Amino acid sequence: MNERQIIFSPSSLLTIVTAVASIVLLWQLRGLLVLLMVAIVMASSIAPIVDWAERRRIPRWLSALVVYLLAILGLVGVFFLIGPTVLEQLQRLFRQLPIVSEKLVSLLDERLSPEDAAQLTDLVRQTLNFQALTRWTFQTSQELLLRSYSITRGIVGAVLSLILALFLSGYMVADSRTLVRRLVRLLPDPWDRRLYGQMGNVGNRMGTYIRGRLLVSIVLAIATSLGLRGLGLAEFSLGLGAIAGVTNLIPFLGPILGAIPALVVAIAQGGWTVLWVLLFYVVLQNLETYVLDPLLVGTAVGIHPLYQLLAVLGGVQVLGILGALIVPPWFAGVSVLVDNLYLKPKLKAERLAKSELSQAKTADAVGIDRP
């Protein structure tokens, strides 16, 4: 019986050892890699403004600094303007969960048979139990935040990481051309030139996505607050609008999560309020899908919605809340490279091969017909 011998050459062994060492090194540096991913997304979002300022002979570093300072000042101003009211309404909403639960129970007792009402009332009491809901919220938030902030040590580390990401993104924007040019030099020709030529498209798609997502969330937060105020939920309108704006940063899942608190409050009020609130969120969802997203986000993602949803779910699974925010724009950027460096050349080569085959068949047919 012949025995097969597997022989590794020194070069093969060196390649295997290098690959294993690289994987171990990347795993140890995963926190830094996530930080770089965040910084690149932030840099892509402000790059068009910096480019516009550069054309007017304003230094890139100065325009990046001004943009970030204005963004920080705007966030601080909004927080001091409506932040206390939003927090007060959210606290009031949580405090009223037992009252909401009892109102739902009484409503079920009035509308359903005793057997069905007994089962549903137990479910409502368990679902809207303040202590259980608070405990579940903290446990779930802790798990997601631990995944999101695995690169840090607590809240202070997260804040420091955010500041570091701001500095990194500012440096990337200020000297982006030099950084990209030196990075692609590591690749062999002609891939260095091809990749360098696509960096602008990648950054543009990532930046367009994140800017459009932010604008859509702001518009929906304002529309939700105004709409719920008009529907009789003025007591919680700002808080529910803030929830809708934050959750809409997450594609697909965000609108559903943002509608649940408003529907719970509307059900507790009874009457036709719940129907009007439900219709309002349905109209709002369609407005986002068919008007706001095409207008503000456009074709920034450029991939099938199912793949976008998988990107969101994968990001949540690996990086928590942070992954749901940064993985979709990265997925959009990578799709540019796949389209322009693989799919389009592949389709072009296939069309060229078919054309050459057709010409060859035509030439053969002409040659056969001739005497």
Side-chain angles (χ1 to χ4, degrees):
M1 184 175 180
N2 296 329
E3 295 183 357
R4 294 183 178 180
Q5 295 182 351
I6 301 176
I7 301 176
F8 291 98
S9 63
S11 60
S12 300
L13 289 175
L14 181 61
T15 302
I16 295 174
V17 171
T18 303
V20 173
S22 301
I23 294 174
V24 173
L25 180 61
L26 291 175
W27 177 254
Q28 295 296 324
L29 296 177
R30 62 188 183 278
L32 179 60
L33 294 178
V34 173
L35 196 63
L36 287 175
M37 290 176 65
V38 175
I40 291 174
V41 170
M42 296 171 67
S44 300
S45 64
I46 69 167
I49 302 176
V50 176
D51 294 338
W52 175 84
E54 185 184 23
R55 290 193 292 269
R56 283 151 181 79
R57 298 183 181 181
I58 300 176
R60 294 180 68 86
W61 67 269
L62 180 59
S63 56
L65 179 62
V66 171
V67 169
Y68 279 138
L69 287 178
L70 291 177
I72 294 173
L73 290 175
L75 290 175
V76 172
V78 170
F79 177 78
F80 280 107
L81 183 63
I82 64 173
T85 305
V86 170
L87 294 177
E88 190 270 334
Q89 289 188 4
L90 292 178
Q91 291 175 358
R92 192 190 314 153
L93 177 61
F94 273 97
R95 286 197 302 266
Q96 290 191 1
L97 280 179
I99 302 175
V100 172
S101 175
E102 292 304 321
K103 288 184 177 180
L104 285 176
V105 169
S106 61
L107 181 64
L108 291 174
D109 289 335
E110 294 175 359
R111 302 295 177 87
L112 300 177
S113 62
E115 295 79 8
D116 296 335
Q119 297 178 356
L120 289 177
T121 51
D122 291 338
L123 178 62
V124 169
R125 286 194 175 98
Q126 293 176 5
T127 304
L128 296 181
N129 182 275
F130 179 74
Q131 295 180 351
L133 184 61
T134 303
R135 191 182 309 113
W136 176 85
T137 302
F138 277 112
Q139 290 176 353
T140 306
S141 301
Q142 184 181 14
E143 182 180 355
L144 290 175
L145 289 175
L146 283 176
R147 291 180 182 176
S148 302
Y149 302 136
S150 60
I151 58 176
T152 65
R153 296 291 183 181
I155 300 299
V156 176
V159 174
L160 293 177
S161 298
L162 179 60
I163 295 174
L164 182 57
L166 285 172
F167 277 108
L168 287 175
S169 62
Y171 186 82
M172 291 176 182
V173 174
D175 201 18
S176 58
R177 295 185 183 89
T178 303
L179 289 173
V180 173
R181 191 180 298 111
R182 291 180 178 178
L183 181 63
V184 298
R185 283 180 182 176
L186 300 174
L187 299 175
D189 186 74
W191 288 104
D192 55 347
R193 292 181 286 103
R194 294 177 180 176
L195 191 61
Y196 183 78
Q198 296 300 321
M199 286 297 100
N201 296 329
V202 171
N204 181 60
R205 181 169 290 190
M206 293 175 67
T208 302
Y209 174 85
I210 198 68
R211 288 191 304 272
R213 198 77 254 158
L214 286 172
L215 288 174
V216 169
S217 296
I218 292 172
V219 171
L220 289 178
I222 297 173
T224 302
S225 297
L226 295 176
L228 293 179
R229 177 178 291 273
L231 292 175
L233 300 181
E235 187 179 3
F236 305 105
S237 60
L238 279 178
L240 294 174
I243 292 175
V246 173
T247 56
N248 267 280
L249 289 172
I250 303 174
F252 301 103
L253 304 179
I256 300 175
L257 297 175
I260 293 175
L263 290 174
V264 171
V265 175
I267 290 173
Q269 290 196 0
W272 292 93
T273 305
V274 59
L275 178 61
W276 289 118
V277 171
L278 180 61
L279 290 176
F280 172 71
Y281 272 96
V282 171
V283 171
L284 209 61
Q285 175 65 24
N286 282 274
L287 180 67
E288 177 189 0
T289 303
Y290 297 107
V291 178
L292 294 179
D293 277 346
L295 182 63
L296 299 178
V297 182
T299 57
V301 179
I303 52 179
H304 195 277
L306 176 61
Y307 298 145
Q308 298 179 41
L309 178 59
L310 292 177
V312 173
L313 296 177
V316 171
Q317 185 67 27
V318 177
L319 299 175
I321 298 174
L322 185 62
L325 298 177
I326 68 170
V327 169
W330 269 92
F331 202 54
V334 172
S335 68
V336 175
L337 298 180
V338 175
D339 288 340
N340 295 337
L341 297 182
Y342 174 70
L343 292 179
K344 289 182 179 179
K346 176 176 177 293
L347 294 175
K348 183 178 180 181
E350 290 176 352
R351 287 195 297 267
L352 182 60
K354 289 181 180 180
S355 177
E356 292 177 350
L357 181 61
S358 177
Q359 292 178 1
K361 289 182 179 180
T362 302
D364 291 342
V366 172
I368 292 174
D369 291 340
R370 292 178 180 177

